[in-house]
Structure formats: structure tokens, C-alpha cells
Amino acid sequence: MTRVQGFTWTVEDTNLITQDDAWGEALVSLGRSDPRIVAVTADLGRSTKIGRFAQAFPERFFNVGIAEQNLMAVASGLAATGLIPVVCTYAAFASLRAAEFVRTDICYNGRRVVIVGTLAGVSFGQGGPTHHAVEDLALMRALPGMTVMAPCDGQEAARALAAAVALPGPSYLRLARGMEPPVYGDRACDFAVGKAIELRAGSDVTVIACGVTVLHALRAAERAAAAGASVRVIDMHTVKPLDEACVRRAVVETRRIVTVEDHAAVNGLGSAVADVVAASGRGCALRKLGHPDRFAPMGMPDDLLHQAGLDEDGILAAIAALRRITVDPDDDWEDDA
Amino acid sequence: MIDRERLRARLHLGALLPVLPLVAPAGAARRLAGRAIDIAVDDALAAHVCADAGALVVRAGRHAAPSLRLSFADAPALNRFFAGRALPSLDGWHRPLLVIEAARLLASLRILDPRARSRTAAARAVRVRALLAFAVRALAELQRGGHPEMRALVDESPDRVYQWTVDDGAAAAFLRMCRGRVRAGRGEYARRRPFVHFRFPTVEAAYRVLTATGSQMEAVARGWVRTEGSPEYARKVSGLLQEAGALLDG
């Protein structure tokens, strides 16, 4: 079997590129402490790492086959009996193919179901547009009662999963391919649903990122600092409910905001932030970085991110552009008496 | 080449004199009501003190109809006057009480003299407020007076705020700069987070640091001052502030 990445990829390769097992291990750990937790998948037990749970608790694992709508319906039914189902499939299928079932079976009934969508954004770039998921945040955050999280590395994914399982209602956990370098590393990730994490202090521009783009934002901030810019970096791991206070602070304190997400530029994190900025009634320059209004080609994830301006180069350019803008100027240059 | 004497005179008129409302003797505004004191070298290097709505104010430029005029032949003469080594040319001798009031007002500025000691807590609080107000104005005047380093800093700066705060709320001052423009202000600038924030936990700590009764190392080690934000720019601004102080001392 050929394992050269690119146009000759095989399904087997998807197993090879999902190397970060943090969330899979976390699920097993949670399963040990809470017997109500069950796992459900749509024939992706190996590549999504939910299969770890199957090995540990085979009697609490259900594979419904390649039938994502049924996956959500079964999960809703399991939740109705008092169990806590964690369902996992690719983000594109969890959000798009199964959308109506997520809305009606799970959200409308307020079911306590954790939906884990892997390979979100263009993290499975080689899969092409059919396997890209750049609309999932838009769809999931529109569903009433749904909590939407996009952790940036393995540690945060594990903490987000634990938090999601404890929520009373439905939640969506957006994961990438699992190969991303750690953001938190040895540092503890102080995760709380709806509470953003300031990874870097700054006063000129705030970059609000989620998922894989958090690391790019940090790298861009470091480079911008070398050019004299003071850039705040926010890990907005919860897209819904958004940490509005954090955004309002950025509006007042830096007055220039860049949002960045491996998602379409419309209706994702950037749009959620824009809502808060608009409601604040304060002048603030906002630049939303996301995928443009066209299907991305098939390609390597890093190349696709670069092409869309979502890597550190693109974020750095956005920071530089915002620094040139004067926003709602305070034109009082008279010294105080 | 920068004219250091004119820059020094600018600091006297634009940074030191505006501290008067904070340190003036009680009742000064009442005694000055309806009158104004001009202090000038020429039209570009002038300031006047007057009372406005019951408060003492210091404004740049000459007053249209001053009651008392202190004139100086040149910038060095004004600088010698503020150093206590020369007298001005006085126009207004026929108002002896106003002359005495002017002398009392200017004498109150001695609170900023590094050799002066403030013996009570209240006096130290006043001095800290005055020193912070002076500091931000001095930096602003350096820029306006063409000081090359300060001008380069301000010219190249995006909209940034340098804030000095005593955390117990006793005093605060800020310097805002953006591409060639600068503003010295009192209190906390509310419209953006400080780029550099010098924070003193108490008035006593601020007094020790601002009057340099302890070493810088001791100040940091003992927690008398904490700097948040860019250490490089904090150092740069602190250096410019020391330069302004040295310039004023002659």
C-alpha cells in the first residue's frame, strides 16, 4: 500500500496521521470513573481514536456503520436512558451530513450528547473538499443549546472532553488531525467552558484564535514583537458560549482585533467576535481571517492554511495591516491642566 | 543641533510650572482671581498663571493682559531664575501683593527639588502626585522641544500609552503617543490598555522610587515598583525621564 502523502493517499494514511491520542486516552479515563459514559461511532473507531474506548469497554461501545444520521439518532436514544454518549466521526460528516439529526434528535430534546468531530478545518487537506470541514462551527453554533469548543492541542482537547461530559446538554468538540505541536506543553491548561485563556499579553493588537490557529497566532505574535508590536493572543477555545467579557476587554484595551480560525470566514469564531464588537458600541478595527468563499483545493494542511492566510505569515500580515489603521481616534492631544 | 538651554526653559515652563495647581498654597486661586502672571522669554517660550472658575491654571503662551509680567532676556536667564540664581525683569511693581503671591507660588515648586524632604504622609502624597504630573509633562515637552531620542520614539510609535499608577489610587499619570503626537495626562487613560505600566503599590513606595531614596535594584527587589509591558520601552522611557531630570538640574 502506497503511503506517499498527496494524491496517492490511502485511507490507511488517515490512521497514520492521527498521532495525538490525548483525547482518546482521556475518554478511556473518563469511562473508568463514570459507567454512564458510552462511545458511538460511524465506522471510524481506529482513525478517530474512539476505538481506544472500544478496547477498554467493548460492552459500552457501539459502531453504527457508515450512517452518520443514525449515529446521532442512536446517541440521542442512549442519552434518553440516562447514559452519556460520546459520538465521534469526521467533523464534515458530524456537522453536515448529520445536521438535521443533531438539531432535531439531540438539540431539540436537550440531550446530553458529546459530539466529537475530528479532522476539522482543512486538517485532512489531502481528502479534498468532501472531507474538509470549514462550515461546522457555523452550523453547530447556530443550534440552540449547543456548546461549541475548538481546543488547540492534545492537553486542551482532553480537558475540553472532560468538561463536555459534565455539561447538562449537547456539546460539540472540534478536533484537528492530532499532529499539531502542543501549545501548552508542560504548562497546565486552565480550561473552563466559556472562559478564554490569555496566552500572551499585549496592548497594540489582540489576536483571538481557536483550534490549530492558536499556535500560529503565538508564533506571529512573537515575530510581531520583534518588530516592536505588542500583541495579545487569546485562546478562544469555546466558540459558544463566547467569552464576551474577554472580547470587550480587547475592544477597549487594544482596539484592534484579528480573529483567526481554520474555518470559513463567515459565521465562525470571527463572526461571533464581530457580534460582540458591534454590540459594544465602541470603535474597534476587526479583521476576520478564515477560509474564503470558495472550496479549498486538495492539498497539505499547512499549505492550505498558508494559501488562505491562516498561518503565522497571514496572521502577521493582518497584525501589520491593523497597526496602520487609526480607529475612532482619540484626538484630544491637549495636556491635562 | 538642539538648543539645550531652550529645551531646559521649555521644561521649566511646560512641565514644572503646570505642577503649580497641585502644590500651590491654599487660597492661591482666590488671591489670584481676576489676575494673571506672565512668565516669558519670547512668544514661543511663555506661560501664564491665572485663576479660572476658582481653580489655579497654568497655560502655555502669553496672557493677553497680564497683571504681572516676569520677562527674561533669553532662555539661560529663565533657567537661572528657576535655579534661584537670577531675577527677572518685572513689569508690575505697583502690585506688591501680587509680586509676593507670585514669589510664594513659585517657591511652592521647591517640593520637587530632589534635596527636599517631605516629612508627613500627606506631604509625600502631594509630592508623588506632583512628580508624576511633572514626569509625563517633561517627556511631552522633550518631544515638542525636539529632543532627538524622544522625537524618534514618538514619531515611530503607534498609538501607545505609558501609564504610571499608584495602586492605592493616590496618584496616576499617563503619556499617550501616536506617530508624532504626544499628550501628558493625569489619572488613568481609559481607552486602551497601557503599553507599559509602571505600578507602585503604595504612595510610600512611589515616593521612595520617584525621589530615588533607594537604588533601582532595591526598588524592584522590594516590590516598590512593578513594570508591566515591554521592558525595552520601559527602560527607554525611564532613561528619557532621567535625562529630563538631569536637564532640569542643569
Side-chain angles (χ1 to χ4, degrees), chain B residues 3-14 38-48 59-62 70-76 78-79 141 145:
Chain B
D3 183 339
R4 292 182 69 82
E5 285 293 341
R6 277 193 78 84
L7 185 58
R8 192 176 164 207
R10 182 180 264 281
L11 287 180
H12 280 126
L13 294 177
D38 240 18
I39 304 172
V41 173
D42 51 40
D43 285 347
L45 213 52
H48 63 270
R59 295 198 175 107
R62 293 182 192 271
L70 283 68
S71 304
F72 300 88
D74 51 24
L78 181 137
N79 294 332
E141 289 304 318

PDB file of all heavy atoms in Angstrom, chain B residues 3-14 38-48 59-62 70-76 78-79 141 145:
ATOM      1  N   ASP B   3      19.047  73.108  20.942  1.00  0.00           N
ATOM      2  CA  ASP B   3      19.422  74.169  21.878  1.00  0.00           C
ATOM      3  C   ASP B   3      19.004  73.694  23.274  1.00  0.00           C
ATOM      4  O   ASP B   3      17.837  73.771  23.650  1.00  0.00           O
ATOM      5  CB  ASP B   3      18.702  75.465  21.487  1.00  0.00           C
ATOM      6  CG  ASP B   3      19.111  76.637  22.378  1.00  0.00           C
ATOM      7  OD1 ASP B   3      19.604  76.385  23.501  1.00  0.00           O
ATOM      8  OD2 ASP B   3      18.927  77.787  21.955  1.00  0.00           O
ATOM      9  N   ARG B   4      19.958  73.223  24.041  1.00  0.00           N
ATOM     10  CA  ARG B   4      19.647  72.627  25.343  1.00  0.00           C
ATOM     11  C   ARG B   4      19.092  73.648  26.327  1.00  0.00           C
ATOM     12  O   ARG B   4      18.274  73.329  27.183  1.00  0.00           O
ATOM     13  CB  ARG B   4      20.876  71.927  25.917  1.00  0.00           C
ATOM     14  CG  ARG B   4      21.273  70.680  25.132  1.00  0.00           C
ATOM     15  CD  ARG B   4      22.461  69.976  25.753  1.00  0.00           C
ATOM     16  NE  ARG B   4      22.144  69.369  27.038  1.00  0.00           N
ATOM     17  CZ  ARG B   4      21.558  68.177  27.187  1.00  0.00           C
ATOM     18  NH1 ARG B   4      21.200  67.485  26.133  1.00  0.00           N
ATOM     19  NH2 ARG B   4      21.335  67.690  28.392  1.00  0.00           N
ATOM     20  N   GLU B   5      19.530  74.877  26.195  1.00  0.00           N
ATOM     21  CA  GLU B   5      19.022  75.913  27.109  1.00  0.00           C
ATOM     22  C   GLU B   5      17.539  76.186  26.844  1.00  0.00           C
ATOM     23  O   GLU B   5      16.746  76.341  27.767  1.00  0.00           O
ATOM     24  CB  GLU B   5      19.846  77.197  26.980  1.00  0.00           C
ATOM     25  CG  GLU B   5      21.216  77.112  27.642  1.00  0.00           C
ATOM     26  CD  GLU B   5      21.141  77.008  29.173  1.00  0.00           C
ATOM     27  OE1 GLU B   5      20.103  77.344  29.761  1.00  0.00           O
ATOM     28  OE2 GLU B   5      22.137  76.566  29.784  1.00  0.00           O
ATOM     29  N   ARG B   6      17.184  76.236  25.572  1.00  0.00           N
ATOM     30  CA  ARG B   6      15.767  76.465  25.250  1.00  0.00           C
ATOM     31  C   ARG B   6      14.930  75.254  25.662  1.00  0.00           C
ATOM     32  O   ARG B   6      13.798  75.392  26.121  1.00  0.00           O
ATOM     33  CB  ARG B   6      15.582  76.756  23.745  1.00  0.00           C
ATOM     34  CG  ARG B   6      15.851  78.202  23.383  1.00  0.00           C
ATOM     35  CD  ARG B   6      15.374  78.538  21.979  1.00  0.00           C
ATOM     36  NE  ARG B   6      13.943  78.755  21.865  1.00  0.00           N
ATOM     37  CZ  ARG B   6      13.335  79.920  22.132  1.00  0.00           C
ATOM     38  NH1 ARG B   6      14.035  80.956  22.545  1.00  0.00           N
ATOM     39  NH2 ARG B   6      12.030  80.047  22.002  1.00  0.00           N
ATOM     40  N   LEU B   7      15.495  74.071  25.477  1.00  0.00           N
ATOM     41  CA  LEU B   7      14.764  72.862  25.879  1.00  0.00           C
ATOM     42  C   LEU B   7      14.574  72.852  27.397  1.00  0.00           C
ATOM     43  O   LEU B   7      13.491  72.495  27.898  1.00  0.00           O
ATOM     44  CB  LEU B   7      15.534  71.616  25.421  1.00  0.00           C
ATOM     45  CG  LEU B   7      14.854  70.274  25.661  1.00  0.00           C
ATOM     46  CD1 LEU B   7      13.490  70.215  24.983  1.00  0.00           C
ATOM     47  CD2 LEU B   7      15.731  69.123  25.145  1.00  0.00           C
ATOM     48  N   ARG B   8      15.604  73.278  28.094  1.00  0.00           N
ATOM     49  CA  ARG B   8      15.521  73.336  29.552  1.00  0.00           C
ATOM     50  C   ARG B   8      14.467  74.359  29.982  1.00  0.00           C
ATOM     51  O   ARG B   8      13.658  74.112  30.889  1.00  0.00           O
ATOM     52  CB  ARG B   8      16.891  73.719  30.105  1.00  0.00           C
ATOM     53  CG  ARG B   8      17.018  73.526  31.584  1.00  0.00           C
ATOM     54  CD  ARG B   8      18.443  73.844  32.020  1.00  0.00           C
ATOM     55  NE  ARG B   8      18.507  74.034  33.455  1.00  0.00           N
ATOM     56  CZ  ARG B   8      19.392  74.774  34.079  1.00  0.00           C
ATOM     57  NH1 ARG B   8      20.325  75.416  33.388  1.00  0.00           N
ATOM     58  NH2 ARG B   8      19.383  74.889  35.377  1.00  0.00           N
ATOM     59  N   ALA B   9      14.458  75.484  29.295  1.00  0.00           N
ATOM     60  CA  ALA B   9      13.451  76.512  29.598  1.00  0.00           C
ATOM     61  C   ALA B   9      12.047  75.981  29.303  1.00  0.00           C
ATOM     62  O   ALA B   9      11.093  76.264  30.029  1.00  0.00           O
ATOM     63  CB  ALA B   9      13.732  77.759  28.772  1.00  0.00           C
ATOM     64  N   ARG B  10      11.936  75.209  28.251  1.00  0.00           N
ATOM     65  CA  ARG B  10      10.649  74.611  27.903  1.00  0.00           C
ATOM     66  C   ARG B  10      10.176  73.667  29.008  1.00  0.00           C
ATOM     67  O   ARG B  10       8.992  73.623  29.336  1.00  0.00           O
ATOM     68  CB  ARG B  10      10.804  73.852  26.572  1.00  0.00           C
ATOM     69  CG  ARG B  10       9.551  73.228  26.061  1.00  0.00           C
ATOM     70  CD  ARG B  10       9.811  72.511  24.758  1.00  0.00           C
ATOM     71  NE  ARG B  10       9.506  73.308  23.611  1.00  0.00           N
ATOM     72  CZ  ARG B  10       8.274  73.502  23.136  1.00  0.00           C
ATOM     73  NH1 ARG B  10       7.243  72.961  23.746  1.00  0.00           N
ATOM     74  NH2 ARG B  10       8.054  74.231  22.073  1.00  0.00           N
ATOM     75  N   LEU B  11      11.121  72.922  29.573  1.00  0.00           N
ATOM     76  CA  LEU B  11      10.768  72.028  30.683  1.00  0.00           C
ATOM     77  C   LEU B  11      10.299  72.838  31.895  1.00  0.00           C
ATOM     78  O   LEU B  11       9.347  72.460  32.579  1.00  0.00           O
ATOM     79  CB  LEU B  11      11.963  71.157  31.078  1.00  0.00           C
ATOM     80  CG  LEU B  11      12.350  70.036  30.118  1.00  0.00           C
ATOM     81  CD1 LEU B  11      13.557  69.278  30.666  1.00  0.00           C
ATOM     82  CD2 LEU B  11      11.201  69.063  29.912  1.00  0.00           C
ATOM     83  N   HIS B  12      10.964  73.942  32.146  1.00  0.00           N
ATOM     84  CA  HIS B  12      10.542  74.775  33.277  1.00  0.00           C
ATOM     85  C   HIS B  12       9.125  75.291  33.083  1.00  0.00           C
ATOM     86  O   HIS B  12       8.303  75.240  33.997  1.00  0.00           O
ATOM     87  CB  HIS B  12      11.515  75.960  33.441  1.00  0.00           C
ATOM     88  CG  HIS B  12      12.779  75.592  34.162  1.00  0.00           C
ATOM     89  ND1 HIS B  12      14.033  75.825  33.632  1.00  0.00           N
ATOM     90  CD2 HIS B  12      12.989  74.984  35.351  1.00  0.00           C
ATOM     91  CE1 HIS B  12      14.959  75.394  34.478  1.00  0.00           C
ATOM     92  NE2 HIS B  12      14.343  74.868  35.530  1.00  0.00           N
ATOM     93  N   LEU B  13       8.860  75.785  31.887  1.00  0.00           N
ATOM     94  CA  LEU B  13       7.551  76.405  31.646  1.00  0.00           C
ATOM     95  C   LEU B  13       6.460  75.373  31.345  1.00  0.00           C
ATOM     96  O   LEU B  13       5.308  75.568  31.737  1.00  0.00           O
ATOM     97  CB  LEU B  13       7.649  77.385  30.469  1.00  0.00           C
ATOM     98  CG  LEU B  13       8.527  78.612  30.696  1.00  0.00           C
ATOM     99  CD1 LEU B  13       8.600  79.457  29.427  1.00  0.00           C
ATOM    100  CD2 LEU B  13       7.997  79.446  31.856  1.00  0.00           C
ATOM    101  N   GLY B  14       6.835  74.304  30.654  1.00  0.00           N
ATOM    102  CA  GLY B  14       5.815  73.354  30.190  1.00  0.00           C
ATOM    103  C   GLY B  14       5.629  72.136  31.066  1.00  0.00           C
ATOM    104  O   GLY B  14       4.615  71.429  30.939  1.00  0.00           O
ATOM    105  N   ASP B  38       2.387  86.519  33.921  1.00  0.00           N
ATOM    106  CA  ASP B  38       3.071  86.069  32.706  1.00  0.00           C
ATOM    107  C   ASP B  38       4.525  85.747  33.010  1.00  0.00           C
ATOM    108  O   ASP B  38       5.183  86.499  33.730  1.00  0.00           O
ATOM    109  CB  ASP B  38       3.051  87.209  31.677  1.00  0.00           C
ATOM    110  CG  ASP B  38       2.351  86.811  30.409  1.00  0.00           C
ATOM    111  OD1 ASP B  38       1.593  85.820  30.433  1.00  0.00           O
ATOM    112  OD2 ASP B  38       2.559  87.505  29.395  1.00  0.00           O
ATOM    113  N   ILE B  39       5.001  84.663  32.453  1.00  0.00           N
ATOM    114  CA  ILE B  39       6.421  84.332  32.573  1.00  0.00           C
ATOM    115  C   ILE B  39       6.894  84.037  31.152  1.00  0.00           C
ATOM    116  O   ILE B  39       6.413  83.083  30.532  1.00  0.00           O
ATOM    117  CB  ILE B  39       6.649  83.110  33.479  1.00  0.00           C
ATOM    118  CG1 ILE B  39       6.012  83.348  34.859  1.00  0.00           C
ATOM    119  CG2 ILE B  39       8.132  82.800  33.626  1.00  0.00           C
ATOM    120  CD1 ILE B  39       6.012  82.152  35.771  1.00  0.00           C
ATOM    121  N   ALA B  40       7.782  84.856  30.630  1.00  0.00           N
ATOM    122  CA  ALA B  40       8.085  84.706  29.203  1.00  0.00           C
ATOM    123  C   ALA B  40       9.510  85.092  28.849  1.00  0.00           C
ATOM    124  O   ALA B  40      10.101  85.989  29.456  1.00  0.00           O
ATOM    125  CB  ALA B  40       7.115  85.545  28.386  1.00  0.00           C
ATOM    126  N   VAL B  41      10.028  84.373  27.873  1.00  0.00           N
ATOM    127  CA  VAL B  41      11.276  84.756  27.222  1.00  0.00           C
ATOM    128  C   VAL B  41      10.921  85.442  25.906  1.00  0.00           C
ATOM    129  O   VAL B  41      11.380  86.530  25.596  1.00  0.00           O
ATOM    130  CB  VAL B  41      12.170  83.525  26.950  1.00  0.00           C
ATOM    131  CG1 VAL B  41      13.383  83.900  26.120  1.00  0.00           C
ATOM    132  CG2 VAL B  41      12.573  82.867  28.265  1.00  0.00           C
ATOM    133  N   ASP B  42      10.084  84.787  25.139  1.00  0.00           N
ATOM    134  CA  ASP B  42       9.558  85.342  23.890  1.00  0.00           C
ATOM    135  C   ASP B  42       8.187  84.698  23.647  1.00  0.00           C
ATOM    136  O   ASP B  42       7.687  83.954  24.498  1.00  0.00           O
ATOM    137  CB  ASP B  42      10.532  85.075  22.729  1.00  0.00           C
ATOM    138  CG  ASP B  42      10.939  83.605  22.656  1.00  0.00           C
ATOM    139  OD1 ASP B  42      10.071  82.735  22.862  1.00  0.00           O
ATOM    140  OD2 ASP B  42      12.135  83.327  22.411  1.00  0.00           O
ATOM    141  N   ASP B  43       7.605  84.946  22.490  1.00  0.00           N
ATOM    142  CA  ASP B  43       6.251  84.438  22.243  1.00  0.00           C
ATOM    143  C   ASP B  43       6.205  82.910  22.242  1.00  0.00           C
ATOM    144  O   ASP B  43       5.197  82.305  22.615  1.00  0.00           O
ATOM    145  CB  ASP B  43       5.731  84.955  20.898  1.00  0.00           C
ATOM    146  CG  ASP B  43       5.345  86.428  20.995  1.00  0.00           C
ATOM    147  OD1 ASP B  43       5.256  86.916  22.142  1.00  0.00           O
ATOM    148  OD2 ASP B  43       5.162  87.064  19.942  1.00  0.00           O
ATOM    149  N   ALA B  44       7.296  82.288  21.826  1.00  0.00           N
ATOM    150  CA  ALA B  44       7.304  80.823  21.742  1.00  0.00           C
ATOM    151  C   ALA B  44       7.643  80.165  23.066  1.00  0.00           C
ATOM    152  O   ALA B  44       7.376  78.978  23.277  1.00  0.00           O
ATOM    153  CB  ALA B  44       8.305  80.374  20.672  1.00  0.00           C
ATOM    154  N   LEU B  45       8.245  80.934  23.941  1.00  0.00           N
ATOM    155  CA  LEU B  45       8.687  80.385  25.228  1.00  0.00           C
ATOM    156  C   LEU B  45       8.036  81.205  26.332  1.00  0.00           C
ATOM    157  O   LEU B  45       8.667  82.078  26.936  1.00  0.00           O
ATOM    158  CB  LEU B  45      10.213  80.451  25.293  1.00  0.00           C
ATOM    159  CG  LEU B  45      10.969  79.353  26.060  1.00  0.00           C
ATOM    160  CD1 LEU B  45      10.548  77.977  25.607  1.00  0.00           C
ATOM    161  CD2 LEU B  45      12.470  79.530  25.877  1.00  0.00           C
ATOM    162  N   ALA B  46       6.747  80.914  26.553  1.00  0.00           N
ATOM    163  CA  ALA B  46       5.988  81.710  27.514  1.00  0.00           C
ATOM    164  C   ALA B  46       4.891  80.865  28.140  1.00  0.00           C
ATOM    165  O   ALA B  46       4.416  79.891  27.545  1.00  0.00           O
ATOM    166  CB  ALA B  46       5.381  82.919  26.802  1.00  0.00           C
ATOM    167  N   ALA B  47       4.512  81.257  29.352  1.00  0.00           N
ATOM    168  CA  ALA B  47       3.390  80.607  30.033  1.00  0.00           C
ATOM    169  C   ALA B  47       2.776  81.627  30.981  1.00  0.00           C
ATOM    170  O   ALA B  47       3.423  82.627  31.328  1.00  0.00           O
ATOM    171  CB  ALA B  47       3.876  79.385  30.803  1.00  0.00           C
ATOM    172  N   HIS B  48       1.555  81.411  31.344  1.00  0.00           N
ATOM    173  CA  HIS B  48       0.951  82.315  32.321  1.00  0.00           C
ATOM    174  C   HIS B  48       0.134  81.531  33.340  1.00  0.00           C
ATOM    175  O   HIS B  48      -0.361  80.442  33.050  1.00  0.00           O
ATOM    176  CB  HIS B  48       0.112  83.403  31.647  1.00  0.00           C
ATOM    177  CG  HIS B  48      -1.063  82.877  30.873  1.00  0.00           C
ATOM    178  ND1 HIS B  48      -0.970  82.545  29.532  1.00  0.00           N
ATOM    179  CD2 HIS B  48      -2.342  82.635  31.252  1.00  0.00           C
ATOM    180  CE1 HIS B  48      -2.154  82.138  29.119  1.00  0.00           C
ATOM    181  NE2 HIS B  48      -3.011  82.176  30.144  1.00  0.00           N
ATOM    182  N   ARG B  59      -1.248  77.974  31.741  1.00  0.00           N
ATOM    183  CA  ARG B  59      -1.463  77.779  30.301  1.00  0.00           C
ATOM    184  C   ARG B  59      -0.220  78.207  29.535  1.00  0.00           C
ATOM    185  O   ARG B  59       0.520  79.112  29.964  1.00  0.00           O
ATOM    186  CB  ARG B  59      -2.663  78.595  29.822  1.00  0.00           C
ATOM    187  CG  ARG B  59      -3.990  78.138  30.438  1.00  0.00           C
ATOM    188  CD  ARG B  59      -5.180  78.659  29.622  1.00  0.00           C
ATOM    189  NE  ARG B  59      -6.425  78.121  30.164  1.00  0.00           N
ATOM    190  CZ  ARG B  59      -7.308  78.836  30.869  1.00  0.00           C
ATOM    191  NH1 ARG B  59      -7.092  80.113  31.097  1.00  0.00           N
ATOM    192  NH2 ARG B  59      -8.414  78.274  31.326  1.00  0.00           N
ATOM    193  N   ALA B  60      -0.036  77.574  28.400  1.00  0.00           N
ATOM    194  CA  ALA B  60       1.107  77.940  27.552  1.00  0.00           C
ATOM    195  C   ALA B  60       0.811  79.270  26.863  1.00  0.00           C
ATOM    196  O   ALA B  60      -0.341  79.627  26.642  1.00  0.00           O
ATOM    197  CB  ALA B  60       1.331  76.842  26.516  1.00  0.00           C
ATOM    198  N   GLY B  61       1.861  80.001  26.571  1.00  0.00           N
ATOM    199  CA  GLY B  61       1.712  81.265  25.850  1.00  0.00           C
ATOM    200  C   GLY B  61       1.512  82.449  26.779  1.00  0.00           C
ATOM    201  O   GLY B  61       1.306  82.301  27.979  1.00  0.00           O
ATOM    202  N   ARG B  62       1.589  83.630  26.188  1.00  0.00           N
ATOM    203  CA  ARG B  62       1.422  84.860  26.972  1.00  0.00           C
ATOM    204  C   ARG B  62      -0.062  85.109  27.254  1.00  0.00           C
ATOM    205  O   ARG B  62      -0.923  84.721  26.479  1.00  0.00           O
ATOM    206  CB  ARG B  62       1.957  86.056  26.182  1.00  0.00           C
ATOM    207  CG  ARG B  62       3.459  86.073  25.958  1.00  0.00           C
ATOM    208  CD  ARG B  62       3.787  87.363  25.201  1.00  0.00           C
ATOM    209  NE  ARG B  62       5.152  87.378  24.687  1.00  0.00           N
ATOM    210  CZ  ARG B  62       6.198  87.840  25.383  1.00  0.00           C
ATOM    211  NH1 ARG B  62       6.038  88.274  26.605  1.00  0.00           N
ATOM    212  NH2 ARG B  62       7.395  87.872  24.830  1.00  0.00           N
ATOM    213  N   LEU B  70       6.830  88.618  34.243  1.00  0.00           N
ATOM    214  CA  LEU B  70       8.220  88.266  34.537  1.00  0.00           C
ATOM    215  C   LEU B  70       8.879  87.981  33.192  1.00  0.00           C
ATOM    216  O   LEU B  70       8.553  86.979  32.545  1.00  0.00           O
ATOM    217  CB  LEU B  70       8.300  87.026  35.423  1.00  0.00           C
ATOM    218  CG  LEU B  70       8.001  87.182  36.927  1.00  0.00           C
ATOM    219  CD1 LEU B  70       6.532  87.501  37.157  1.00  0.00           C
ATOM    220  CD2 LEU B  70       8.353  85.903  37.662  1.00  0.00           C
ATOM    221  N   SER B  71       9.769  88.868  32.792  1.00  0.00           N
ATOM    222  CA  SER B  71      10.394  88.732  31.468  1.00  0.00           C
ATOM    223  C   SER B  71      11.864  88.365  31.599  1.00  0.00           C
ATOM    224  O   SER B  71      12.538  88.773  32.552  1.00  0.00           O
ATOM    225  CB  SER B  71      10.271  90.049  30.690  1.00  0.00           C
ATOM    226  OG  SER B  71       8.921  90.434  30.604  1.00  0.00           O
ATOM    227  N   PHE B  72      12.314  87.637  30.617  1.00  0.00           N
ATOM    228  CA  PHE B  72      13.705  87.183  30.619  1.00  0.00           C
ATOM    229  C   PHE B  72      14.324  87.485  29.270  1.00  0.00           C
ATOM    230  O   PHE B  72      13.676  87.352  28.229  1.00  0.00           O
ATOM    231  CB  PHE B  72      13.780  85.687  30.915  1.00  0.00           C
ATOM    232  CG  PHE B  72      13.200  85.334  32.255  1.00  0.00           C
ATOM    233  CD1 PHE B  72      11.848  85.052  32.384  1.00  0.00           C
ATOM    234  CD2 PHE B  72      13.987  85.328  33.395  1.00  0.00           C
ATOM    235  CE1 PHE B  72      11.301  84.735  33.614  1.00  0.00           C
ATOM    236  CE2 PHE B  72      13.445  85.024  34.632  1.00  0.00           C
ATOM    237  CZ  PHE B  72      12.097  84.726  34.746  1.00  0.00           C
ATOM    238  N   ALA B  73      15.576  87.877  29.306  1.00  0.00           N
ATOM    239  CA  ALA B  73      16.269  88.245  28.066  1.00  0.00           C
ATOM    240  C   ALA B  73      16.436  87.055  27.148  1.00  0.00           C
ATOM    241  O   ALA B  73      16.332  87.170  25.925  1.00  0.00           O
ATOM    242  CB  ALA B  73      17.637  88.854  28.396  1.00  0.00           C
ATOM    243  N   ASP B  74      16.678  85.906  27.744  1.00  0.00           N
ATOM    244  CA  ASP B  74      16.861  84.699  26.934  1.00  0.00           C
ATOM    245  C   ASP B  74      16.580  83.459  27.794  1.00  0.00           C
ATOM    246  O   ASP B  74      16.313  83.577  29.002  1.00  0.00           O
ATOM    247  CB  ASP B  74      18.274  84.639  26.331  1.00  0.00           C
ATOM    248  CG  ASP B  74      19.354  84.854  27.390  1.00  0.00           C
ATOM    249  OD1 ASP B  74      19.064  84.599  28.581  1.00  0.00           O
ATOM    250  OD2 ASP B  74      20.464  85.272  27.037  1.00  0.00           O
ATOM    251  N   ALA B  75      16.678  82.308  27.171  1.00  0.00           N
ATOM    252  CA  ALA B  75      16.371  81.057  27.873  1.00  0.00           C
ATOM    253  C   ALA B  75      17.317  80.816  29.052  1.00  0.00           C
ATOM    254  O   ALA B  75      16.861  80.425  30.138  1.00  0.00           O
ATOM    255  CB  ALA B  75      16.411  79.884  26.884  1.00  0.00           C
ATOM    256  N   PRO B  76      18.635  81.044  28.887  1.00  0.00           N
ATOM    257  CA  PRO B  76      19.517  80.826  30.044  1.00  0.00           C
ATOM    258  C   PRO B  76      19.125  81.685  31.243  1.00  0.00           C
ATOM    259  O   PRO B  76      19.240  81.245  32.391  1.00  0.00           O
ATOM    260  CB  PRO B  76      20.902  81.215  29.500  1.00  0.00           C
ATOM    261  CG  PRO B  76      20.809  80.958  28.033  1.00  0.00           C
ATOM    262  CD  PRO B  76      19.411  81.314  27.664  1.00  0.00           C
ATOM    263  N   LEU B  78      16.105  82.634  32.089  1.00  0.00           N
ATOM    264  CA  LEU B  78      14.948  81.993  32.720  1.00  0.00           C
ATOM    265  C   LEU B  78      15.388  80.779  33.528  1.00  0.00           C
ATOM    266  O   LEU B  78      14.923  80.550  34.648  1.00  0.00           O
ATOM    267  CB  LEU B  78      13.919  81.588  31.658  1.00  0.00           C
ATOM    268  CG  LEU B  78      12.643  80.936  32.201  1.00  0.00           C
ATOM    269  CD1 LEU B  78      11.404  81.474  31.499  1.00  0.00           C
ATOM    270  CD2 LEU B  78      12.681  79.421  32.048  1.00  0.00           C
ATOM    271  N   ASN B  79      16.310  80.026  32.955  1.00  0.00           N
ATOM    272  CA  ASN B  79      16.792  78.829  33.654  1.00  0.00           C
ATOM    273  C   ASN B  79      17.516  79.192  34.948  1.00  0.00           C
ATOM    274  O   ASN B  79      17.363  78.506  35.966  1.00  0.00           O
ATOM    275  CB  ASN B  79      17.707  78.012  32.734  1.00  0.00           C
ATOM    276  CG  ASN B  79      16.945  77.446  31.551  1.00  0.00           C
ATOM    277  OD1 ASN B  79      15.738  77.211  31.652  1.00  0.00           O
ATOM    278  ND2 ASN B  79      17.626  77.241  30.429  1.00  0.00           N
ATOM    279  N   GLU B 141       7.213  67.503  26.757  1.00  0.00           N
ATOM    280  CA  GLU B 141       7.950  68.703  26.362  1.00  0.00           C
ATOM    281  C   GLU B 141       9.265  68.368  25.670  1.00  0.00           C
ATOM    282  O   GLU B 141       9.713  69.101  24.796  1.00  0.00           O
ATOM    283  CB  GLU B 141       8.205  69.598  27.582  1.00  0.00           C
ATOM    284  CG  GLU B 141       6.962  70.269  28.115  1.00  0.00           C
ATOM    285  CD  GLU B 141       6.230  71.090  27.060  1.00  0.00           C
ATOM    286  OE1 GLU B 141       6.894  71.792  26.273  1.00  0.00           O
ATOM    287  OE2 GLU B 141       4.993  71.016  27.015  1.00  0.00           O
ATOM    288  N   GLY B 145      10.019  69.893  22.201  1.00  0.00           N
ATOM    289  CA  GLY B 145      11.227  70.712  22.115  1.00  0.00           C
ATOM    290  C   GLY B 145      12.276  70.148  21.176  1.00  0.00           C
ATOM    291  O   GLY B 145      13.351  70.712  21.031  1.00  0.00           O
TER     292      GLY B 145
END
